[in-house]
Amino acid sequence: MEERLVVSSSPHILGEDTTSKMMLDVIIALLPATIAAMFYFRSSAAFIVALAIITAVLAEAVVQKIRKQPVTIKDLSAVVTGLLLALNLPASAPWWIPVVGSAFAIIIVKQIFGGIGQNFMNPALAARIMMTISWPEQMTRWVAPGVDSVSAATPLSFVKDATAVPGNAPELMDMLFGNIAGSMGETSAILLVLGGLYLVYRGVISIKIPAIYIGTVAVATLLYSGFDFYFMTYHLLGGSLMIGAFYMATDYASGCVTPKGRMIFAFGCGVLTTVIRLFGGYPEGVGFSILIMNSMTPFIDRFTSPKVYGEVQRQDA
């Protein structure tokens, strides 16, 4: 009997899930939106996706080599970062935008803080915000789908400072399937939702965060517009709400740990996104809202952590 007992340190129960399996699921979930981006924006989309992924993988390998750490590019986390960043870029972005963005995401946001699981912000999202502030012209030069690369406005720009959708705005069906101007991966809402539901089915993410996030934006825009359901739906399908709610707000490393904290995190993302879109200087607010809530994660976790059994409140003498 003694030979059958194995003495080891915790954890004593191990699951079959690994980082590489989870990252592969995320890549599979993003494939429909990625293929749609290449269909709508043609070779420029494929070029940006490839550059972003290759740069992210190389940056991770080089940094880990320099720091004399095991190279972990096989866990596919750098591929996911590069892919997510590419889907957050306009198809008109020059070649150096995905290169600089991926290098910043991996080196500054991820590796400097210790690598996977240690970053306090979503690397791809932090890179997008950094580049939007640094190079606003290149990051907001939206083009309409097609080979001609004709400049066009995003759907959210039509409802900026408005309480109703103007008649010349893009149709909801085009926003649903991705036939609109915008970041490559945020154009097709339905493909992003399908990929997100796949992640829920696979147990990679919980439905609570995207449901609360999207639900909060829905209720807030409905109240703001005086119960205009068309205006509300426009805000749900427009911009990067779907890719942010399903693929970025659910990031394990930069999100809350406690169940109550995750709900507060998602609610905060929804409120901030709506406030920035309706009252801020930018028509889009998803990126800023998630990063702001990332910075508040330690405080939320601290005040929502369950009490330890046997813990007593300190009393002053």
Side-chain angles (χ1 to χ4, degrees), residues 57-305:
V57 173
L58 287 178
E60 180 136 297
V62 170
V63 170
Q64 289 177 329
K65 278 285 187 183
I66 292 174
R67 299 177 67 185
K68 298 180 179 179
Q69 294 178 332
V71 177
T72 59
I73 57 175
K74 290 184 179 179
D75 67 11
L76 300 178
S77 62
V79 175
V80 170
T81 298
L83 180 56
L84 274 175
L85 175 68
L87 295 180
N88 275 273
L89 299 178
S92 64
W95 68 268
W96 53 269
I97 284 285
V99 173
V100 173
S102 284
F104 178 85
I106 295 295
I107 299 172
I108 305 298
V109 186
K110 184 180 178 183
Q111 288 298 331
I112 278 186
F113 289 93
I116 186 170
Q118 306 298 319
N119 49 285
F120 74 100
M121 287 185 177
N122 184 289
L125 202 50
R128 172 178 176 169
I129 297 301
M130 182 278 291
M131 292 190 295
T132 300
I133 296 172
S134 301
W135 300 287
E137 182 181 348
Q138 289 83 355
M139 288 293 292
T140 57
R141 192 186 299 154
W142 313 113
V143 294
V147 296
D148 298 330
S149 298
V150 178
S151 297
T154 63
L156 287 184
S157 64
F158 285 89
V159 292
K160 182 63 180 171
D161 301 324
T163 55
V165 181
N168 60 340
E171 298 291 335
L172 285 181
M173 290 302 289
D174 287 333
M175 297 168 64
L176 187 65
F177 292 103
N179 189 26
I180 54 174
S183 297
M184 295 189 301
E186 66 184 41
T187 52
S188 178
I190 191 170
L191 294 180
L192 291 169
V193 172
L194 287 175
L197 293 178
Y198 169 78
L199 293 180
V200 174
Y201 169 74
R202 293 283 294 166
V204 177
I205 65 172
S206 166
I207 191 64
K208 289 182 181 178
I209 290 180
I212 294 174
Y213 190 170
I214 297 169
T216 301
V217 175
V219 172
T221 52
L222 192 63
L223 293 175
Y224 175 80
S225 62
F227 292 92
D228 184 342
F229 283 89
Y230 192 79
F231 182 84
M232 176 201 74
T233 309
Y234 217 82
H235 271 279
L236 297 187
L237 300 182
S240 53
L241 179 59
M242 295 303 168
I243 193 171
F246 280 100
Y247 302 92
M248 294 177 166
T250 53
D251 183 24
Y252 289 168
S254 56
C256 287
V257 176
T258 65
K260 190 182 294 183
R262 290 172 186 166
M263 291 190 285
I264 295 173
F265 179 90
F267 177 73
C269 286
V271 171
L272 289 172
T273 295
T274 308
V275 169
I276 294 172
R277 282 184 176 185
L278 298 179
F279 306 106
Y282 289 94
E284 177 58 280
V286 170
F288 288 105
S289 67
I290 295 177
L291 290 189
I292 291 172
M293 292 307 296
N294 283 159
S295 66
M296 297 177 66
T297 293
F299 300 99
I300 298 173
D301 275 339
R302 178 182 177 185
F303 292 107
T304 57
S305 297

